[in-house]
Amino acid sequence: MREILILISILLFAVSLVLGLVSQVHRKSGKGIYYSLATICLVCVFFLLFFQNWNIAGLWSGEPVDPPKTESPIWPGQNNDGKDPADEEHSPSVEPEEEEPNDPQPTTPEQIILGDNEIVEYKVVKGDTLFSIATRAEVTVEKIKQWNNLSSDAIFVDQILKLYGKNVEPAPPKQDPPPTTASSVIISEGSPQQKQISFTFDAGSDAAGIRILDVLKKYKVKATFFLTGKWVEKYPSLAKKIVEEGHEIGNHSYSHPDAVKTTANALKQDIIKAEEAIMEATGKSPQPYFRFPFGSYNSTALKTVGAAGYPFSIQWSLDTIDWKQPATEVIISRIKSGASNGDIVLMHIGGINTPEAVDQVIPWLKAQGYQLVPLSVLLK
């Protein structure tokens, strides 16, 4: 910015000087104005060149003006402040004043008093570990993990941990039998020699077609329902009703993942989580039947399902495709045209027209001599 002002001032100076000289040569009036303007421009140039960096405010206020500071080079053997270390050795030393610490001194955590007949709900605070809590409560880490269903030593601030006295300590959970290492077996149909058909219903989204329970009850037909953990958590009373009305249940995973695109460990945990949700809602285990979401599987997935405790992975031989919400007549037509001995029929609780279709197709199947049975009977 300063350079631009200097150039403008020089240009005005030159123009004013030339105009002044022209006015003087031709004896015209106004030469004094031009010379004055040229003088002002020249003063501006000198001001911009030599005086702009001065502290003008300081000059006017009468305060001392500090000269511009320049950095002096640091020679070998000198400190950053320009002093020679040798001079410092002979200068009197000044002991630094001791500063009082701002942080409070750490305090020893208080003992957790746990009576023989007491249950203490302990709130985790910053710095706590399972070991420190166990030590202060005079219990073992394993017991704290058992009481609070902890799978690891990880805890978090504000977490509530239950601690039990020895007289009120809950019984340890029953140990599950070691999981089988054999792969689960894919089953798509029953015996072609038996005139039996099994209705299976997947519950993974909503309960739009839950009236199917009334239809099955009307004809005294038992079916097999494959439940996802999320559906059970959303409709626990319906899951319980399915079991109470004598139907079989199977595991359809917790979150309905594609087993081929899921790691073995994640798939196993998803299956176990679904089993826990189903057990909590119905009081009944979904073993031994598992159904892959989307019917998608490979050899690795079969090994994982087997290791999770499910020896049978149930597919189907007759798909109504009712999850696409076709008309009632379409569902009926698909069953009538495809029905054969040992069929496993795939339907969904979310099928809006499924209950009406089944209500019409059951009498027809029975008239053809078919027995409608759950999987446990079909697969004998």
Side-chain angles (χ1 to χ4, degrees):
M1 183 63 183
R2 186 178 67 167
E3 288 78 5
I4 296 174
L5 292 175
I6 291 173
L7 290 174
I8 294 173
S9 299
I10 293 174
L11 181 61
L12 291 174
F13 167 75
V15 171
S16 300
L17 185 60
V18 169
L19 291 174
L21 292 174
V22 171
S23 298
Q24 186 175 359
V25 171
H26 293 282
R27 300 180 181 278
K28 292 182 178 181
S29 61
K31 64 181 179 180
I33 295 174
Y34 293 130
Y35 285 146
S36 299
L37 184 58
T39 303
I40 293 171
C41 291
L42 186 61
V43 170
C44 289
V45 170
F46 277 97
F47 175 79
L48 292 170
L49 285 173
F50 301 105
F51 298 100
Q52 195 214 7
N53 290 332
W54 284 22
N55 189 345
I56 303 300
L59 290 172
W60 281 104
S61 64
E63 296 178 358
V65 180
D66 294 332
K69 295 182 180 180
T70 58
E71 294 184 1
S72 58
I74 300 176
W75 302 98
Q78 277 190 325
N79 296 326
N80 289 339
D81 57 4
K83 295 182 180 179
D84 194 325
D87 296 338
E88 293 184 358
E89 293 180 3
H90 301 288
S91 61
S93 60
V94 179
E95 293 292 334
E97 296 182 1
E98 293 186 1
E99 296 182 359
E100 295 184 1
N102 294 326
D103 297 333
Q105 294 295 327
T107 57
T108 303
E110 296 181 359
Q111 191 77 6
I112 300 175
I113 307 301
L114 185 61
D116 293 346
N117 298 301
E118 287 184 326
I119 300 176
V120 174
E121 291 190 349
Y122 178 78
K123 188 176 184 179
V124 177
V125 298
K126 186 176 181 180
D128 273 341
T129 63
L130 275 184
F131 178 77
S132 67
I133 296 172
T135 302
R136 290 156 53 202
E138 297 182 352
V139 295
T140 65
V141 171
E142 290 305 317
K143 283 193 174 183
I144 296 180
K145 291 171 68 175
Q146 173 191 312
W147 294 335
N148 296 275
N149 295 321
L150 301 179
S151 58
S152 69
D153 291 350
I155 55 176
F156 54 88
V157 175
D158 293 336
Q159 181 179 3
I160 303 298
L161 297 177
K162 285 192 174 182
L163 309 176
Y164 294 85
K166 63 181 183 180
N167 292 339
V168 292
E169 180 180 350
K174 294 181 179 180
Q175 295 295 326
D176 294 329
T180 176
T181 56
S183 292
S184 186
V185 177
I186 285 288
I187 297 177
S188 300
E189 58 185 351
S191 171
Q193 280 75 42
Q194 299 293 329
K195 205 170 181 62
Q196 295 176 332
I197 289 179
S198 185
F199 282 168
T200 64
F201 299 89
D202 289 359
S205 54
D206 53 43
I210 195 60
R211 194 174 66 82
I212 191 65
L213 291 177
D214 298 331
V215 175
L216 296 174
K217 188 175 184 180
K218 172 182 175 181
Y219 294 104
K220 298 181 181 179
V221 170
K222 304 302 179 186
T224 305
F225 289 79
F226 287 92
L227 313 178
T228 64
K230 283 189 174 181
W231 188 90
V232 169
E233 289 177 348
K234 188 176 181 180
Y235 305 104
S237 60
L238 295 181
K240 187 176 182 181
K241 183 178 181 180
I242 290 171
V243 172
E244 288 177 344
E245 294 193 357
H247 302 291
E248 293 180 346
I249 53 174
N251 191 324
H252 196 33
S253 80
Y254 179 82
S255 59
H256 208 267
D258 187 330
V260 175
K261 300 177 182 178
T262 307
T263 64
N265 183 61
L267 176 60
K268 185 176 181 180
Q269 294 305 315
D270 200 83
I271 294 170
I272 293 173
K273 189 175 181 181
E275 181 175 318
E276 291 173 349
I278 293 170
M279 286 283 292
E280 183 176 352
T282 68
K284 188 173 181 180
S285 171
Q287 293 183 9
Y289 303 127
F290 178 79
R291 173 167 279 168
F292 285 103
F294 313 107
S296 175
Y297 67 93
N298 55 19
S299 58
T300 301
L302 287 172
K303 289 180 181 178
T304 302
V305 173
Y310 292 81
F312 306 116
S313 292
I314 308 300
Q315 295 290 88
W316 53 87
S317 57
L318 200 165
D319 189 355
T320 62
I321 320 180
D322 60 340
W323 58 273
K324 288 187 175 182
Q325 310 299 354
T328 302
E329 293 73 17
V330 174
I331 300 174
I332 294 172
S333 175
R334 286 172 179 163
I335 295 177
K336 286 183 176 181
S337 62
S340 60
N341 291 355
D343 266 339
I344 296 176
V345 183
L346 173 62
M347 291 178 279
H348 296 78
I349 291 181
I352 297 174
N353 296 318
T354 302
E356 180 61 30
V358 172
D359 195 3
Q360 296 186 41
V361 84
I362 286 178
W364 183 87
L365 289 172
K366 287 187 174 182
Q368 306 306 309
Y370 289 105
Q371 288 181 301
L372 300 177
V373 298
L375 284 175
S376 61
V377 175
L378 183 79
L379 302 179
K380 277 186 179 179

